Coordinates of all heavy atoms in Angstrom, one line a residue:
A696 N -9.1 -33.9 164.8 CA -8.9 -33.0 163.6 C -8.4 -31.7 164.1 O -7.7 -31.0 163.3 CB -10.2 -32.8 162.9
A697 N -8.6 -31.3 165.3 CA -8.1 -30.1 165.9 C -6.6 -30.0 165.9 O -6.0 -28.9 166.0 CB -8.7 -29.8 167.3
W698 N -5.9 -31.2 165.9 CA -4.5 -31.3 166.0 C -3.8 -31.2 164.6 O -2.6 -31.0 164.5 CB -4.1 -32.5 166.7 CG -4.3 -32.5 168.2 CD1 -5.4 -32.9 168.8 CD2 -3.5 -31.9 169.2 NE1 -5.3 -32.7 170.2 CE2 -4.1 -32.1 170.4 CE3 -2.2 -31.3 169.1 CZ2 -3.5 -31.7 171.6 CZ3 -1.6 -30.9 170.3 CH2 -2.3 -31.1 171.5
G699 N -4.6 -31.4 163.6 CA -3.9 -31.4 162.2 C -3.0 -32.6 162.1 O -3.1 -33.6 162.7
D700 N -2.0 -32.4 161.2 CA -1.1 -33.5 160.8 C 0.0 -33.6 161.8 O 1.1 -32.9 161.6 CB -0.6 -33.4 159.4 CG -1.7 -33.6 158.4 OD1 -2.8 -34.0 158.8 OD2 -1.5 -33.3 157.2
V701 N -0.1 -34.3 162.9 CA 0.9 -34.3 164.0 C 2.2 -35.0 163.5 O 2.1 -35.9 162.7 CB 0.3 -35.0 165.3 CG1 -0.8 -34.2 165.9 CG2 -0.1 -36.4 165.0
V702 N 3.3 -34.7 164.2 CA 4.6 -35.3 163.9 C 4.6 -36.6 164.6 O 4.3 -36.7 165.8 CB 5.7 -34.4 164.3 CG1 7.1 -35.1 164.2 CG2 5.7 -33.1 163.5
L703 N 5.0 -37.7 163.9 CA 5.2 -39.0 164.4 C 6.7 -39.4 164.6 O 7.0 -40.2 165.4 CB 4.6 -40.1 163.6 CG 3.1 -40.0 163.4 CD1 2.6 -41.1 162.5 CD2 2.3 -40.0 164.7
A704 N 7.6 -38.7 163.9 CA 9.0 -38.9 164.0 C 9.7 -37.8 163.2 O 9.1 -37.1 162.4 CB 9.4 -40.3 163.4
R705 N 11.0 -37.7 163.4 CA 11.8 -36.8 162.6 C 13.0 -37.5 162.1 O 13.4 -38.6 162.6 CB 12.2 -35.6 163.5 CG 11.0 -34.7 163.9 CD 11.5 -33.4 164.6 NE 10.4 -32.7 165.1 CZ 9.7 -31.8 164.4 NH1 10.0 -31.6 163.1 NH2 8.6 -31.1 164.9
K706 N 13.7 -36.9 161.2 CA 14.9 -37.5 160.6 C 15.9 -37.9 161.7 O 16.5 -39.0 161.6 CB 15.6 -36.5 159.6 CG 16.9 -37.0 159.1 CD 17.6 -35.9 158.2 CE 18.9 -36.4 157.7 NZ 19.6 -35.3 157.0
E707 N 16.1 -37.0 162.7 CA 17.1 -37.3 163.7 C 16.5 -38.0 165.0 O 17.2 -38.3 165.9 CB 17.8 -36.0 164.1 CG 16.9 -35.0 164.9 CD 15.9 -34.2 164.0 OE1 15.9 -34.4 162.8 OE2 15.3 -33.3 164.6
T708 N 15.1 -38.1 165.0 CA 14.5 -38.7 166.1 C 13.5 -39.8 165.7 O 12.6 -39.5 164.9 CB 13.7 -37.6 166.9 OG1 14.5 -36.5 167.1 CG2 13.1 -38.1 168.2
P709 N 13.7 -41.0 166.2 CA 12.9 -42.1 165.6 C 11.4 -42.2 166.0 O 10.7 -43.0 165.5 CB 13.6 -43.3 166.2 CG 14.3 -42.9 167.4 CD 14.6 -41.4 167.2
T710 N 11.0 -41.3 166.9 CA 9.6 -41.3 167.3 C 9.3 -40.0 168.0 O 10.2 -39.3 168.5 CB 9.3 -42.5 168.3 OG1 7.9 -42.5 168.6 CG2 10.1 -42.3 169.6
S711 N 8.0 -39.7 168.0 CA 7.5 -38.5 168.8 C 6.9 -39.0 170.1 O 6.7 -40.2 170.3 CB 6.5 -37.8 167.9 OG 5.3 -38.6 167.8
Y712 N 6.6 -38.0 170.9 CA 5.9 -38.4 172.2 C 4.6 -39.1 171.9 O 4.3 -40.2 172.5 CB 5.6 -37.1 173.0 CG 4.6 -37.4 174.1 CD1 5.1 -38.0 175.3 CD2 3.3 -37.0 174.0 CE1 4.2 -38.3 176.3 CE2 2.4 -37.2 175.1 CZ 2.8 -37.9 176.2 OH 2.0 -38.2 177.2
H713 N 3.8 -38.6 170.9 CA 2.5 -39.2 170.6 C 2.6 -40.7 170.3 O 1.8 -41.5 170.8 CB 1.8 -38.4 169.5 CG 1.4 -37.0 169.8 ND1 0.7 -36.7 170.9 CD2 1.7 -35.9 169.2 CE1 0.5 -35.4 171.0 NE2 1.1 -34.9 169.9
L714 N 3.5 -41.0 169.4 CA 3.6 -42.4 169.0 C 4.2 -43.3 170.1 O 3.8 -44.4 170.4 CB 4.5 -42.5 167.7 CG 4.7 -43.9 167.1 CD1 3.3 -44.5 166.7 CD2 5.6 -43.9 165.9
A715 N 5.3 -42.8 170.7 CA 6.0 -43.6 171.7 C 5.0 -43.9 172.9 O 5.1 -45.0 173.4 CB 7.2 -42.8 172.2
V716 N 4.2 -42.9 173.3 CA 3.4 -43.1 174.5 C 2.4 -44.2 174.4 O 2.2 -45.0 175.3 CB 2.8 -41.8 175.0 CG1 1.6 -41.4 174.1 CG2 2.3 -41.9 176.5
V717 N 1.8 -44.3 173.2 CA 0.8 -45.3 173.0 C 1.4 -46.7 172.8 O 0.9 -47.7 173.3 CB -0.2 -45.0 171.8 CG1 -0.9 -43.7 172.0 CG2 0.6 -44.9 170.5
V718 N 2.6 -46.7 172.2 CA 3.3 -48.0 172.1 C 3.8 -48.5 173.4 O 3.6 -49.7 173.8 CB 4.5 -47.9 171.1 CG1 5.4 -49.1 171.1 CG2 4.0 -47.6 169.7
D719 N 4.3 -47.6 174.2 CA 4.8 -48.0 175.5 C 3.7 -48.4 176.5 O 3.9 -49.4 177.2 CB 5.6 -46.8 176.2 CG 6.9 -46.5 175.4 OD1 7.4 -47.4 174.7 OD2 7.4 -45.4 175.6
D720 N 2.6 -47.7 176.5 CA 1.5 -48.0 177.4 C 1.0 -49.4 177.0 O 0.7 -50.2 177.9 CB 0.4 -47.0 177.3 CG 0.7 -45.7 178.0 OD1 1.6 -45.7 178.9 OD2 0.0 -44.7 177.7
A721 N 1.0 -49.8 175.8 CA 0.5 -51.1 175.4 C 1.5 -52.1 175.8 O 1.2 -53.2 176.3 CB 0.3 -51.1 173.9
R722 N 2.8 -51.9 175.6 CA 3.9 -52.8 175.9 C 3.9 -53.1 177.4 O 4.2 -54.2 177.8 CB 5.2 -52.3 175.5 CG 5.4 -52.3 174.0 CD 6.8 -51.8 173.7 NE 7.9 -52.7 174.2 CZ 9.0 -52.3 174.7 NH1 9.3 -51.0 174.8 NH2 9.9 -53.2 175.2
Q723 N 3.6 -52.1 178.2 CA 3.7 -52.3 179.7 C 2.4 -52.7 180.3 O 2.3 -53.0 181.5 CB 4.1 -51.0 180.4 CG 5.6 -50.6 180.2 CD 6.0 -49.5 181.1 OE1 5.6 -48.4 180.9 NE2 6.9 -49.8 182.1
G724 N 1.3 -52.9 179.4 CA 0.0 -53.3 179.9 C -0.6 -52.3 180.8 O -1.3 -52.6 181.8
I725 N -0.4 -51.0 180.5 CA -1.0 -49.9 181.4 C -2.5 -49.9 181.1 O -3.0 -49.7 180.0 CB -0.3 -48.5 181.0 CG1 1.2 -48.6 181.1 CG2 -0.9 -47.4 181.8 CD1 1.7 -48.9 182.5
T726 N -3.2 -50.0 182.2 CA -4.7 -49.9 182.2 C -5.2 -48.6 182.5 O -6.3 -48.2 182.1 CB -5.3 -50.9 183.1 OG1 -4.9 -50.5 184.5 CG2 -4.8 -52.3 182.9
D727 N -4.5 -47.8 183.3 CA -4.9 -46.4 183.7 C -3.8 -45.4 183.5 O -2.8 -45.5 184.2 CB -5.4 -46.5 185.2 CG -6.6 -47.3 185.4 OD1 -6.5 -48.6 185.3 OD2 -7.6 -46.8 185.7
V728 N -4.1 -44.5 182.6 CA -3.1 -43.4 182.4 C -3.5 -42.2 183.2 O -4.4 -41.5 182.9 CB -3.0 -43.1 180.9 CG1 -2.1 -41.9 180.7 CG2 -2.5 -44.2 180.1
L729 N -2.8 -42.0 184.3 CA -3.0 -40.8 185.2 C -1.9 -39.8 185.0 O -0.8 -40.0 185.3 CB -3.1 -41.3 186.7 CG -3.8 -40.5 187.7 CD1 -4.0 -41.2 189.0 CD2 -3.0 -39.2 188.0
R730 N -2.3 -38.7 184.4 CA -1.3 -37.7 184.0 C -1.9 -36.3 184.1 O -3.1 -36.1 184.4 CB -0.8 -37.9 182.6 CG -1.9 -37.9 181.5 CD -1.4 -38.4 180.2 NE -2.4 -38.3 179.2 CZ -2.3 -38.7 177.9 NH1 -1.2 -39.3 177.5 NH2 -3.3 -38.6 177.1
G731 N -1.0 -35.3 183.9 CA -1.5 -33.9 184.1 C -2.5 -33.4 183.1 O -2.7 -33.9 182.0
R732 N -3.3 -32.5 183.6 CA -4.4 -31.9 182.8 C -3.9 -31.3 181.5 O -4.7 -31.2 180.5 CB -5.1 -30.8 183.6 CG -6.3 -30.2 183.0 CD -7.5 -31.1 182.9 NE -8.6 -30.5 182.1 CZ -9.8 -31.0 182.0 NH1 -10.1 -32.1 182.6 NH2 -10.7 -30.4 181.2
D733 N -2.6 -30.9 181.4 CA -2.1 -30.3 180.2 C -2.0 -31.3 179.0 O -1.9 -30.9 177.9 CB -0.7 -29.7 180.5 CG 0.3 -30.8 181.1 OD1 -0.2 -31.6 181.9 OD2 1.5 -30.7 180.8
L734 N -2.2 -32.6 179.3 CA -2.2 -33.6 178.3 C -3.6 -34.1 177.9 O -3.8 -35.0 177.1 CB -1.3 -34.8 178.7 CG 0.2 -34.4 178.7 CD1 1.0 -35.6 179.3 CD2 0.7 -34.2 177.2
Y735 N -4.6 -33.4 178.5 CA -6.0 -33.9 178.3 C -6.4 -33.9 176.8 O -6.9 -34.9 176.3 CB -6.9 -32.9 179.1 CG -8.4 -33.3 179.0 CD1 -9.0 -34.2 179.9 CD2 -9.2 -32.6 178.0 CE1 -10.4 -34.4 179.8 CE2 -10.6 -32.9 177.9 CZ -11.1 -33.8 178.8 OH -12.5 -34.1 178.8

Side-chain angles (χ1 to χ4, degrees):
W698 286 93
D700 294 350
V701 295
V702 172
L703 298 181
R705 295 186 184 276
K706 176 186 176 183
E707 70 282 3
T708 309
T710 184
S711 69
Y712 167 76
H713 293 308
L714 183 61
V716 74
V717 297
V718 171
D719 291 341
D720 285 341
R722 290 181 62 216
Q723 287 191 292
I725 303 302
T726 64
D727 293 70
V728 174
L729 200 168
R730 58 189 182 184
R732 180 75 187 185
D733 53 327
L734 289 168
Y735 181 88

